[in-house]
């Protein structure tokens, strides 16, 4: 006796959150069943393994049918085939677009191309995330990238509008798209200690301050409406950064800069005293990195350079400055202190 | 020119990409009704076209309006080659044809293609301007309302229940026409869909005409079925109950509304004097004399029954002390006489209803059923030859009109079966059959026709005119005891139609009741039940040799009696094992396959307080000398006793102890007895009657004489009770649970198993089938575990045998959550239970249980004020607040449409019926593997069917479908060719409901108004 066909269709589509997670994590039906058995569900409910198998298959089939709609979340809202309460719809979308920290660190700043997709095997082996899940996450990145690539307006807003993600997740995707577009190198060993959150923080500040969109908002330049406002760095701005050398060369300016920065940051920074003590070295390193950003290669290596060529790292990464906030502060400072 | 149909095509969305080069579509729409077609402009290069068309106007006869569906085809324009079809939408415009239903159909409809499924959506607006037509000879029946619901719809009141209406139409199946060899599967499927849509339209119109003839205005319990007879054709048949309904616009308008329509009804053909005086008196002395004078009429009715000679009429002598039995007799006889006069006017006094207005059902006799095996011949209709190839080749032909001289028509077959049912009912001393239904099972050229129902004695006042005005008062004077009247035997105890064991009613102690009661109806609202109910199933398989035609039919006919017997025995055993004494909603389905017969009986078991306590089951071995064997037997006996004890606890069956002195006669040993009367007949009309009473055994004993019997006993014990927090039943309401919350989940589950070995035995087959059903139930319990505490209601199993080694089981049911805490408190008194159960119904029904309470239980007087508070504090109100399903989100454009097989929505009030939904879909694929195999294919299809039903309901302005039923799910596969095909037929009533919590906010005076009738009731009684 074998089951040829076994289905369950509810007027309201049943979504089992646990099974959804297993499906998203890329487990096969048999692995998912094994994991569910291990979770003790059989003892709790008195069900048999066959029931669990049938239930898992059923959910997997539903998710498979829903996946097509999840690729364009607004479709999920308007479709008529699956009656799903709005709260569940939101959950489906949010979970589908959620990603693993370990995975995103591997592909952050890489070109979202076929070539990278081929490397997913290695990433899967390295991170322990199933290949299927890696593919889903990669395809999500790529899909979001493709949709918002050519759009005007705020990157986060565009993502939110077209993928109905939560604010938090939309910001993360903005960072991923921004990094992918500018191809910042993040994979070097020296950068491993930085988390995705650190980079996302940087990305947000850079989008706000370094991009064409940021310039566009400035009243001085109202005409420069370029398509990818939030995605591309403002070339002119990078050019202007060369001028910052004066901050290191001129002693008076250095002192003035120091006092201004220290006034601005006093009380806001846990490592303020160290920063104050090391200000000269710090400033020199930053300015040197900033001055080189006219070359694409150097732009890509921005984060490597920030870590390698500024004393941010010393005397020991864990102890003080080097976390993102400081990098961010320096990034932000860039525009504020540009000589006019 | 009595009607103008107006259609506007607004827009499309999510269309599929039809042009690979541009990834876009150039879509336009064809709107077709009858032979007229309109087209919209082509909307270039868009997947979301905005046509915003003009109003397309069709001027048509109302006859066509009823028959024809509106056909909307979305196409992709192609300059060089033929335009590609994207898909179609069929819209049944019937709901627009009567004034109280929908006025406009407007909304997004899924565009459906039989090969690709749903491909985008289209926004359509449809309106109908109907001109009054005074032509008396008209062929249309616009205005007759149809309801699938098998009870009086919630916002209506039954003025008169006229009775049975039936009709069938026959046509050739397009799938088997010669043209099918040269056309595409898509064209063939669409021809079939359109034909069935036309046929059901015509059928509905014809039934409507019959209703108008009877001076009714509605059909309730409308059940339409398709018989796909293959080569021999396609039969669409329908049965229903004609009624004159009166809309209850608001509870305050209840009394005035009562009068006006009844005046119109004066001309009703049933002119017998209803003799209203007799209703007021109970079993008083003067009437006794009348009784005897009527008794001849009863025996007359017996003799008139055609099959009575075969009935086992042996009376049990020496049973019942007599005097008390006679006391109940006169009233019974009187009622019978009156009902008889009303009912004898009718050819078939059948009612498809399963729930009734209070006071309608007087006594229940038992289940009556009839089956007949027929050989299908090709429907050779000369008219077909002429119109073949014509564009209107689907023009319908009425089988009846063409074949009036032919004896072997489908109509004659059904008439024969109905006649049999009628005579069975008469044998049970009943003049009507309620909860009546018909079904077929077809395999190749053999067809089993089945009909079943519950023999009953009805109160004549609903069947006649002239008694309407006084209905309230009359009901109050009703002297039947509440909650047990329907259990009392309708037949003469000295001349019983079968050996039965009678005792005095445990409730009123005056009249006789049987020890077990089987019925096909829902549990009456006022019935007194102890504990909770549960789903009871009997499952059976029988191997059969493969044979052709005649021989096959004979083989099946020979097997049927044995199957019926065993199914019945199983039901009885399982009922005893559950310590219950009555079955409601019994439905026995016999399915025929190439090499086997399957029997599946489902019912809801309950413990009726009026009936005697069921005895246990005793096992007796045949080989007494074997020590180890004896030990085994005693072990089994212990297991059975333990199970009974466990079930008693599980279903909270704690009947009050009845001391023997009170009754005056000892409670005799329970006996196995049958309330099933049935017959099987093959084409030759040979009638066989069964005595299902296990001979004349005095105790209920299971004899284990061979391994088969052992298996049977084992299988009894293998049924696992549902996990805690779960209950299940196949009736509308779960007996013993009444505090539903508003969380409901309707679902359909399908399973197909392939039997492994070719040389199967009956035992192995039975085990496989049993496991299939049990595993399916287990899966359901597991899937719905988040709804605990919950009850699966209206569980409907359907078995089919699509191929040699395949068994398909389809289940549709609704899971409803209930409030556990309140459940524990509600078992206090009978009156309280009644009140609470009544509160699930609308105000109209609420009044009568209240009255009955105050009637039967004078020690618990319920002032109307209290009734109101009970209603206000009814758990459903609270359930609403606990409702976890979020309200429709602002950014979502899709409104929630609930679907349920029940006639009501817990915690809500149905305010409007929008019309019947009756849809038929075919889905076919030639890329089965790519669509996820058979499971993926069917899963997607069923989801699509749900979606299309919801879209139609939403377009009518509704937010729910009640009495939803999946009548057919025919699935065929050919994995080798990577192909599969499925046909699904669903129906239900589109309704608008309002949550009770919202109602309370909107109209606070409502509870006060609703209590008004019961106030008057209270005054009369005191």
């Amino acid at each position: 006796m074998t089951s040829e066909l076994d289905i369950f269709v509810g007027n309201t589509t049943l979504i089992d959150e646990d099974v959804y997670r297993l499906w998203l994590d890329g487990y096969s039906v048999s692995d998912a069943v094994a994991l569910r058995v291990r979770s003790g569900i059989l003892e709790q409910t008195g069900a048999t393994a066959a029931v669990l198998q049938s239930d898992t298959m059923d959910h997997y089939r539903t998710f498979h049918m829903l996946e097509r709609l999840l690729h364009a979340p607004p479709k999920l809202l308007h479709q008529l085939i699956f009656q799903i309460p709005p709260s569940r719809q939101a959950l489906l979308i949010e979970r589908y677009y959620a990603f693993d920290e370990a995975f995103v660190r591997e592909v952050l700043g890489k070109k979202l191309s076929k070539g990278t997709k081929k490397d997913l095997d290695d990433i899967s082996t390295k991170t322990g995330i199933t290949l299927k899940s890696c593919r889903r996450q990669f395809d999500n990145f790529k899909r979001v990238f493709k949709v918002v690539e050519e759009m005007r307006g705020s990157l986060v807003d565009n993502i939110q509008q077209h993928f109905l993600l939560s604010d938090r997740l939309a910001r993360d995707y903005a960072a991923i798209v921004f990094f992918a577009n500018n191809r910042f190198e993040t994979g070097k060993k020296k950068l491993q200690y930085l988390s995705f959150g650190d980079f996302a923080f940087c990305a947000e500040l850079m989008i706000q301050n370094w991009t064409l969109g940021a310039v566009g908002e400035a009243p001085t330049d109202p005409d420069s409406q370029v398509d990818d406002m939030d995605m591309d760095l403002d070339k002119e701005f990078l050019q202007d950064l060369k001028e910052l050398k004066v901050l290191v060369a001129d002693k008076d300016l250095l002192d003035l800069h120091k006092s201004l920065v220290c006034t601005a940051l006093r009380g806001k920074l846990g490592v303020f005293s160290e920063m104050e003590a090391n200000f000269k070295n710090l400033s020199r390193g930053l300015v040197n990195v900033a001055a080189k950003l006219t070359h694409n290669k150097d732009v890509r290596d921005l984060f490597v350079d920030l870590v390698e060529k500024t004393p941010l790292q010393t005397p020991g990464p864990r102890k003080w400055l080097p976390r993102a906030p400081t990098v961010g502060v320096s990034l932000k400072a860039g525009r504020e202190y540009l000589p006019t | 020119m009595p009607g103008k149909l107006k259609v506007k095509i607004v827009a499309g969305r999510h269309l599929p990409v039809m042009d690979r080069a541009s990834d876009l579509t150039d879509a336009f729409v064809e709107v077709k009704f009858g032979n007229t077609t309109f087209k919209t402009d082509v909307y270039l290069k868009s997947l979301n076209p905005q046509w915003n068309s003009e109003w397309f106007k069709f001027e048509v006869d109302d006859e066509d309006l009823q028959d024809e569906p509106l056909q909307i085809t979305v196409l992709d324009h192609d300059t060089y080659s033929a335009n590609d079809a994207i898909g179609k939408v069929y819209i049944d415009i019937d709901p627009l044809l009567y004034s109280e239903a929908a006025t406009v159909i407007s909304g997004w409809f899924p565009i459906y293609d039989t090969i690709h499924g749903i491909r985008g959506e289209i926004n359509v607006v449809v309106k109908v301007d109907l001109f009054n037509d005074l032509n008396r000879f008209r062929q249309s029946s616009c205005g007759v309302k149809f309801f699938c619901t098998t009870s009086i719809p919630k916002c209506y009141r039954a003025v008169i229940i006229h009775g049975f209406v039936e009709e069938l139409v026959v046509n050739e199946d397009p799938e088997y026409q010669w043209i099918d060899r040269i056309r595409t599967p898509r064209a063939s499927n669409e021809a079939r869909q359109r034909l069935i849509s036309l046929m059901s339209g015509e059928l509905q119109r014809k039934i409507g005409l019959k209703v108008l003839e009877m001076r009714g205005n509605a059909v309730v319990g409308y059940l339409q079925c398709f018989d796909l007879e293959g080569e021999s054709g396609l039969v669409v048949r329908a049965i229903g109950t004609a009624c004159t309904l009166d809309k209850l616009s608001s509870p305050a308008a209840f009394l005035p509304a009562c009068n006006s329509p009844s005046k119109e009804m004066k001309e009703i053909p049933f002119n017998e004097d209803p003799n209203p005086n007799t209703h007021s008196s109970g079993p008083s002395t003067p009437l006794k004399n009348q009784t005897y004078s009527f008794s001849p009429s009863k025996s007359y009715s017996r003799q008139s029954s055609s099959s009575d000679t075969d009935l086992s009429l042996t009376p049990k002598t020496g049973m019942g002390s007599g005097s008390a039995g006679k006391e109940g007799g006169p009233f019974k006889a009187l009622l019978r006489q009156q009902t008889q006069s009303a009912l004898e006017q009718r050819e078939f006094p059948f009612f498809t209803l399963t729930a009734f207005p209070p006071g309608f059902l007087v006594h229940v006799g038992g289940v009556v059923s009839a089956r007949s095996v027929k050989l299908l011949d090709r429907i050779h209709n000369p008219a077909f030859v002429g119109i073949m190839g014509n564009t209107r080749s689907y023009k319908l032909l009425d089988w009846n009109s063409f074949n009036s001289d032919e004896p072997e028509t489908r109509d004659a077959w059904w008439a024969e079966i109905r006649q049999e049912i009628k005579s069975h009912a008469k044998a049970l001393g009943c003049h009507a059959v309620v909860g009546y239904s018909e079904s077929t099972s077809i395999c190749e050229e053999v067809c089993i026709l089945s009909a079943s129902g519950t023999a009953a004695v009805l109160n004549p006042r609903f069947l006649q005119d002239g008694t309407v005005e006084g209905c309230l008062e009359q009901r109050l004077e009703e002297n039947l005891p509440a909650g047990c009247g329907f259990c009392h035997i309708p037949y003469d105890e000295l001349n019983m139609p079968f050996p039965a064991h009678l005792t005095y009613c445990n409730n009123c102690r005056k009249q006789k009741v049987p020890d077990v009661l089987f019925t096909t109806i829902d549990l009456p609202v006022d019935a007194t039940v102890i504990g909770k109910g549960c789903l009871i199933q009997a499952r059976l398989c029988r191997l059969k040799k493969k044979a052709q035609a005649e021989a096959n039919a004979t083989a099946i006919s020979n097997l049927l009696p044995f199957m019926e017997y065993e199914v019945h025995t199983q039901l009885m055993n399982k009922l005893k094992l559950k310590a219950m004494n009555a079955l409601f909603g019994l439905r026995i389905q016999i399915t025929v396959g190439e090499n086997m017969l399957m029997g599946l009986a489902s019912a809801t078991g309950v413990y009726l307080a009026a009936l005697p306590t069921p005895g246990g089951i005793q096992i007796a071995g045949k080989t007494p000398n074997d020590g180890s064997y004896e030990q085994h037997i005693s072990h089994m006996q212990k297991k059975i006793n333990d199970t009974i004890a466990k079930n008693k606890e599980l279903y909270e069956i704690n009947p009050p102890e009845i001391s023997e002195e009170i009754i005056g006669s000892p409670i005799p040993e329970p006996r196995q007895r049958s309330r099933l009367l049935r017959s099987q007949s093959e084409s030759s009309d040979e009638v066989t009657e069964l005595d299902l009473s296990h001979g004349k055994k005095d105790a209920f004993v299971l004899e284990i004489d061979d391994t088969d019997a052992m298996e049977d006993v084992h299988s009894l014990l293998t049924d696992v009770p549902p996990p805690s927090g779960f209950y299940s039943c196949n009736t509308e309401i779960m007996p013993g649970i009444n505090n539903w919350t508003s969380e409901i989940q309707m679902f359909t589950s399908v399973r197909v198993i392939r039997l492994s070995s070719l040389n199967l035995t009956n035992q192995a087959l039975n085990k496989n089938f049993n496991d299939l059903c049990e595993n399916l139930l287990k899966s359901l319990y597991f899937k719905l575990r988040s709804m605990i505490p919950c009850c699966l209601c209206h569980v409907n199993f359907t078995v089919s045998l699509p191929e040699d080694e395949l068994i398909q089981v389809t289940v549709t049911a609704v899971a409803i959550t209930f409030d556990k805490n309140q459940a524990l408190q509600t078992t206090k008194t009978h009156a309280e239970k009644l009140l609470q159960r009544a509160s699930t119904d609308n105000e109209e029904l609420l009044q009568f249980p209240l009255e009955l309470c105050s009637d039967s239980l004078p020690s618990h007087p319920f002032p109307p004020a209290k009734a109101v508070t009970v209603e206000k504090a009814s758990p459903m109100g609270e359930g609403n607040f606990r409702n976890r399903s979020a309200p429709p989100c602002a950014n979502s454009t899709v409104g929630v449409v609930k679907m349920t097989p029940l006639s009501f929505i817990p915690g809500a009030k149905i305010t409007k019926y929008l019309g019947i939904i009756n849809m038929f879909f075919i889905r076919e694929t030639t890329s089965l593997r790519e669509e996820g195999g058979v499971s993926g294919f069917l899963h997607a299809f069923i989801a699509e069917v749900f979606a299309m039903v919801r879209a139609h309901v939403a377009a009518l302005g509704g937010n729910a479908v009640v009495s939803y039923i999946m009548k057919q799910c025919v699935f065929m596969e050919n994995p080798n060719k990577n192909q599969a095909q499925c046909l699904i037929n669903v129906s239900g009533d589109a309704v608008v409901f309002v949550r009770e919590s919202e109602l309370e906010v909107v109209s606070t005076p409502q509870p006060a108004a609703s209590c008004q009738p019961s106030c008057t009731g209270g005054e009369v009684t005191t």
Side-chain angles (χ1 to χ4, degrees), chain A residues 16 57 95 124 151 216 220 253-254 277 314 316 330-331:
Chain A
D16 186 311
M57 287 276 279
R95 293 259 174 92
S124 169
M151 274 179 193
T220 47
L253 280 175
L254 178 70
T314 51
S330 16
L331 296 172

Side-chain angles (χ1 to χ4, degrees), chain B residues 64-237:
Chain B
D64 280 345
L65 279 174
Q66 283 194 294
D67 287 6
E68 296 267 352
L70 176 68
Q71 188 178 321
I72 293 167
T73 313
V74 186
L75 298 115
D76 177 49
H77 177 75
D78 208 322
T79 322
Y80 304 108
S81 59
N83 298 326
D84 296 322
I86 295 172
K88 290 194 176 203
V89 180
Y90 292 97
I91 301 177
D92 179 13
I93 46 171
D94 215 48
L96 295 179
L97 301 182
Y98 41 89
S99 50
E100 287 157 44
T103 52
V104 63
I105 299 177
S106 165
W108 289 99
F109 290 90
I111 302 168
Y112 181 71
D113 178 69
T114 59
I115 305 294
H116 293 105
I118 289 177
R119 305 173 96 190
E121 291 122 36
I122 184 169
N123 196 324
V124 181
V125 186
V126 185
K127 285 181 180 172
V128 172
D129 289 338
L130 213 55
F131 314 130
N132 274 333
D133 184 10
L134 299 172
N135 180 5
R136 298 183 337 138
F137 305 104
R138 60 181 189 164
Q139 285 299 298
S140 80
S141 54
C142 290
V144 174
K145 290 181 279 289
F146 284 80
F147 300 92
C148 295
T149 303
T150 56
S151 56
I152 301 303
K154 298 286 184 245
C155 46
Y156 290 91
R157 194 178 64 90
V159 179
I160 304 173
I161 298 172
H162 298 287
F164 192 58
V165 279
E166 48 79 30
E167 187 66 82
L168 64 81
V169 289
V170 181
N171 205 331
E172 263 197 326
D173 192 337
E175 185 102 336
Y176 295 88
Q177 279 169 341
W178 64 270
I179 193 167
D180 202 55
R181 292 182 197 168
I182 53 168
R183 65 180 162 195
T184 62
R186 177 181 283 121
S188 170
N189 292 338
E190 283 175 1
R192 253 177 139 186
Q193 282 192 171
R194 192 177 124 73
L195 174 69
I196 288 183
S197 183
L198 263 173
M199 286 171 84
S200 29
E202 186 195 287
L203 196 69
Q204 215 169 309
R205 174 172 59 81
K206 287 189 164 172
I207 292 229
L209 279 173
K210 288 191 173 178
V211 173
L212 289 177
E213 231 166 73
M214 296 166 101
R215 309 214 172 215
N217 64 4
V219 181
V220 181
Y222 184 68
L223 179 71
Q224 186 195 286
C225 290
F226 301 97
D227 296 332
L228 300 166
E229 296 186 347
E231 286 285 322
S232 67
L234 188 63
V235 178
V236 184
R237 58 190 163 81

Side-chain angles (χ1 to χ4, degrees), chain A residues 1-14 16 18 36 41-42 45-48 50-52 54-56 58-59 61-62 64-65 74-75 77-83 85-87 89 164, chain B residues 13-14 108 110 118 121 745-754 756 768 778-780 782-783 785 806 887 889 891-899 934-936 938-940 942-943 946-947 950 971 973:
Chain A
M1 187 182 87
T2 49
S3 235
E4 282 272 302
L5 186 158
D6 179 5
I7 56 160
F8 175 99
V9 191
N11 184 36
T12 305
T13 307
L14 280 185
D16 186 311
D18 297 335
R36 290 181 85 186
I41 195 162
L42 294 186
T45 59
T48 62
V51 165
L52 206 59
S54 142
D55 180 67
T56 312
D58 216 68
H59 283 300
R61 208 163 34 239
T62 308
H64 182 73
M65 285 190 263
K75 266 194 189 168
L77 258 64
H78 294 287
Q79 55 83 33
L80 303 174
I81 298 178
F82 302 97
Q83 187 158 273
S87 59
Q89 285 180 346
L164 311 172
Chain B
R13 67 180 183 199
H14 306 150
W108 289 99
I118 289 177
E121 291 122 36
Q745 166 73 290
M746 189 281 297
F747 59 85
T748 292
S749 185
V750 185
R751 265 192 197 191
V752 177
I753 56 158
R754 188 175 286 280
S756 46
N768 277 332
K778 273 184 212 156
S779 266
L780 296 182
F782 181 76
K783 279 212 173 284
R785 64 192 186 283
L806 295 184
C889 191
N891 59 351
S892 166
T893 55
V894 185
V896 173
V897 175
K898 298 218 173 205
M899 290 168 78
V934 285
S935 294
L938 195 62
H939 191 147
I942 292 177
F946 285 2
R950 287 193 302 255
F971 178 72
E973 55 165 327

Side-chain angles (χ1 to χ4, degrees), chain A residues 184-228:
Chain A
F184 293 115
E185 174 62 55
T186 64
K188 286 269 158 59
K189 213 166 193 169
K190 284 187 176 131
L191 293 175
Q192 285 309 310
Y193 72 96
L194 287 169
S195 73
F196 169 72
D198 297 335
F199 285 115
F201 182 83
C202 298
E204 200 171 337
L205 289 172
M206 286 169 86
I207 291 169
Q208 277 168 17
N209 298 297
W210 287 30
T211 60
L212 291 168
V215 179
E217 280 160 21
T220 47
D221 200 0
D223 301 326
S224 72
Q225 285 288 324
V226 191
D227 275 353
D228 318 349

